[in-house]
Amino acid sequence: MSTIAFDQFALTRIADFARSLSRLHQAARRQRVDDDQFDREFNAVCQSIWGYTIDDVSDDLFSAEDHLFLDTLDEAHARIFAAEQGYDLVGETGMLTDWWGFCWMILAEKRGLLTPDNRAAARAAIEEKYLSAPNVIGVIIGR
């Protein structure tokens, strides 16, 4: 049996979770949209699907091979990779704009990196980075 033939009804359609994010990308064609808005919407999609965000996993947890895989990924291979893991990266207008970030999360899930311990370590590293900046006296984190 071909590994390319996937049951589309068995795939998690990320586009179903990313409607607000897709609308934000469409709005950005007509008006300026702050990058933080994209980050918040992307993280909301990830939180809905995986219960984790891209900030919950440190880049350092991925192997050199994983980084090479992600760096050389194109849309066609991303679609196949995602489908092999049970996800669909295609929406009503074609490939999702944030397909690479979703592949990053899919790979993190595949590698077992979406854990409470990794989340705590990643958040601590972010807080440490902010606290080391000049004129920063505290970091407020919503949990």
Side-chain angles (χ1 to χ4, degrees), residues 127-139:
E127 289 177 33
E128 183 179 322
K129 176 184 158 192
Y130 283 125
L131 286 171
S132 68
N135 300 324
V136 173
I137 58 171
V139 178

Side-chain angles (χ1 to χ4, degrees), residues 71-139:
D71 290 344
T72 59
L73 202 56
D74 60 17
E75 287 185 11
H77 290 100
R79 187 173 180 190
I80 293 168
F81 167 72
E84 289 172 342
Q85 309 313 311
Y87 295 96
D88 181 10
L89 295 173
V90 179
E92 289 79 29
T93 60
M95 193 72 157
L96 294 172
T97 304
D98 298 290
W99 61 267
W100 190 90
F102 292 126
C103 283
W104 198 90
M105 289 298 293
I106 292 166
L107 185 60
E109 178 185 49
K110 179 179 180 177
R111 297 290 186 248
L113 302 178
L114 303 178
T115 67
D117 289 342
N118 286 342
R119 171 187 280 153
R123 294 298 174 149
I126 290 170
E127 289 177 33
E128 183 179 322
K129 176 184 158 192
Y130 283 125
L131 286 171
S132 68
N135 300 324
V136 173
I137 58 171
V139 178

